[in-house]
Structure formats: structure tokens, C-alpha cells
């Protein structure tokens, strides 16, 4: 692929990812897996009484901090970059939970919410890398938006159920509008969820961007008690190559560990 074509592809993928992750893409600032096979992304809901929702102050204390991770940058999401739920609308109502998840919008009516972003370290290109390879390597970092939301009266359990159901109903893709911009998801596939939660659902969604770019995204919702942690992740290099990338479980482990 010529350098100009690679750059055009990067720009198209970057524009889509930036819209999806807001400041998570430019903020300053693993082993345990749940499920026993691909497509079974989730443990069953606990039969114990519903846990008490955390307050905004408690969520702030439990939110991921820079000291919790070994690499990458953690940053707060400015209120001006937050997206309201009514600004995200799926064409098919059955897919609405996934549209909200991709844009970092908490589902339902949470009692409190907190958001953070994490940006991983880019890869170093090989000494003999071509300009195209060096460009792709420089973009080879994960960008994650983390949303914590606490719920009363079993609302957290319902979020997991709704996302799980939407992943099945919308496996063939769907379209949605966010902040006046149209987005098209080509496929939705349930995958193994990271460990550390009472129950979780993990998804790989493929976004159709410009110039025939197909951008893979990793989406996870994980419940700890009455709190749902949502993780939305993309990788610019994967957007260029079309190859899959690994979900950064070390970051989700750190976040879920603080909700214990």
C-alpha cells in the first residue's frame, strides 16, 4: 500500500475513533478470563439481594487512577466532552444498548456516573521499518473510555441483560446517529469477557469508516454489585491493517479490582 493511501486510511479511521472515544483518544494525563468458549460472554446474575448503589463520591474514589496502572495515561473526561443519552439513537431500538455502549453513555437511569480515559503506549517501529510500517506502529496503542455507573433496584443486572440481548439481536450489524453523525456497525460478535466481575459481556464490533476502512472495537460491560463498568476500546493501527487486537485486560483488572 502506498504511503498516501495509508495516511488517508489512518485519517478516516482516526476520525471515526475520535468521535467514538471523545477525549479518550487524546487525554493527558490478565490473565483471568470468564466464559468457557467464544460467544458465551457472561456469567449468570447473582441470586443475592441487590447491592446498594454507590454515590458519586464513592464512584470517584473507585475510579481508575494513574497509580493503578503500570503503563499508559489515565485522565478524567471533561464534562464538555460528555455525550448525553438523547444524542445517541440507534435506527433499530433493539440495538440501542450497543449504541450507548460504543459512545460511553451509561444505560438506563444510573444513580451516579464517573468517566475516565486510558491511552496505552504506542509501539516502537523496527529499525528497518518502511514509512508505512513506522506510521502504523506509531498508532499501535489502545484508546479506552471507562464509564462507571451505579444503579438502584437491580438496574445494574438489567444493563447486563440488555447488552447481552442486543449483542444477539444485532449480530448482523446496525446503524445509529451520535451527535448528528451517522455510524454503521458491520458485525457484532460476543467474545470471552475479562475476569474480576460478578457478570460480564464482551463484544467485538466492526465499524465501517471512510475509504472502506473496517475498524474493530472492543466493548465490555462488567457488573460488580450495583455498579457497571463499561469499557470502549479502539486501536488505530488495527484500523489501518484490519487486524484484530487484544483487549487490555490489565486495565480492566485494575478498575474492577477497585470496585471490590
Amino acid at each position: 500500500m502506498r504511503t498516501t493511501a495509508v495516511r488517508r486510511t489512518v485519517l478516516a479511521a482516526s476520525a471515526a475513533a475520535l468521535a467514538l472515544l471523545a477525549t479518550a483518544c487524546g487525554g493527558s494525563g490478565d490473565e483471568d478470563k470468564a466464559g468457557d468458549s467464544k460467544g458465551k460472554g457472561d456469567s449468570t446474575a447473582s441470586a443475592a439481594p441487590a447491592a446498594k448503589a454507590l454515590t458519586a463520591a464513592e464512584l470517584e474514589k473507585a475510579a481508575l487512577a494513574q497509580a493503578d496502572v503500570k503503563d499508559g495515561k489515565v485522565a478524567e473526561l471533561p464534562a464538555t466532552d460528555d455525550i448525553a443519552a438523547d444524542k445517541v439513537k440507534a435506527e433499530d431500538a433493539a440495538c440501542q444498548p450497543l449504541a450507548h455502549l460504543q459512545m460511553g453513555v451509561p444505560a438506563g437511569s444510573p444513580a451516579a456516573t464517573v468517566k475516565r480515559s486510558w491511552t496505552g503506549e504506542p509501539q516502537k517501529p523496527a529499525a528497518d521499518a518502511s514509512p508505512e510500517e513506522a506510521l502504523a506502529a506509531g498508532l499501535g496503542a489502545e484508546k479506552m473510555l471507562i464509564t462507571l455507573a451505579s444503579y438502584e433496584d437491580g438496574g445494574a443486572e438489567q444493563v447486563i441483560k440488555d447488552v447481552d440481548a442486543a449483542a444477539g439481536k444485532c449480530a448482523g450489524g446496525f446503524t445509529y446517529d451520535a451527535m448528528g453523525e451517522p455510524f454503521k456497525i458491520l458485525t457484532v460478535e460476543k467474545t470471552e469477557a475479562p475476569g474480576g466481575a460478578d457478570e460480564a459481556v464482551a463484544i467485538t464490533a466492526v465499524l465501517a469508516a471512510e475509504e472502506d476502512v473496517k475498524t474493530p472495537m472492543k466493548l465490555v460491560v462488567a457488573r460488580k454489585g450495583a455498579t457497571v463498568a463499561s469499557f470502549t476500546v479502539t486501536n488505530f493501527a488495527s484500523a489501518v491493517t484490519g487486524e484484530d487486537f487484544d483487549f487490555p485486560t490489565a486495565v480492566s483488572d485494575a478498575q474492577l479490582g477497585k470496585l471490590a
Side-chain angles (χ1 to χ4, degrees), residues 22-23 60 75-84 113-116 179:
T23 56
E60 283 287 350
E76 295 185 14
L77 189 74
T80 53
D81 291 319
D82 207 357
I83 299 177
T113 61
V114 166
K115 294 186 179 183
R116 294 290 187 270
M179 303 291 289

Side-chain angles (χ1 to χ4, degrees), residues 31-221:
E31 289 79 4
D32 189 18
K33 299 256 182 175
D36 57 1
S37 66
K38 206 172 186 179
K40 293 182 180 178
D42 355 341
S43 58
T44 56
S46 172
K52 182 181 179 181
L54 297 182
T55 64
E58 290 171 329
L59 279 185
E60 283 287 350
K61 185 177 180 180
L64 191 73
Q66 188 63 55
D68 300 323
V69 295
K70 294 182 178 180
D71 55 43
K73 278 190 174 181
V74 177
E76 295 185 14
L77 189 74
T80 53
D81 291 319
D82 207 357
I83 299 177
D86 62 359
K87 298 298 183 181
V88 180
K89 186 172 180 60
E91 183 175 345
D92 183 345
C95 305
Q96 188 66 44
L98 298 182
H100 277 159
L101 175 59
Q102 288 170 11
M103 300 304 295
V105 176
S109 301
T113 61
V114 166
K115 294 186 179 183
R116 294 290 187 270
S117 69
W118 173 82
T119 304
E121 300 292 342
Q123 301 174 10
K124 293 183 178 180
D128 59 349
S130 67
E132 294 91 341
E133 292 170 336
L135 179 61
L139 294 170
E142 284 74 48
K143 318 292 182 177
M144 174 186 283
L145 176 61
I146 304 168
T147 303
L148 302 182
S150 61
Y151 297 83
E152 300 282 3
D153 304 322
E157 290 86 346
Q158 190 61 51
V159 169
I160 302 297
K161 291 178 181 178
D162 290 346
V163 171
D164 189 30
K169 293 177 181 177
C170 307
F174 65 98
T175 59
Y176 68 97
D177 182 276
M179 303 291 289
E181 293 292 331
F183 292 91
K184 181 178 181 179
I185 301 301
L186 300 173
T187 60
V188 174
E189 180 182 9
K190 290 175 62 178
T191 58
E192 289 186 351
D198 296 335
E199 56 179 341
V201 178
I203 296 166
T204 294
V206 177
L207 170 72
E210 297 178 11
E211 300 289 341
D212 296 323
V213 174
K214 296 181 179 180
T215 304
M217 301 174 60
K218 302 292 184 180
L219 311 170
V220 171
V221 286

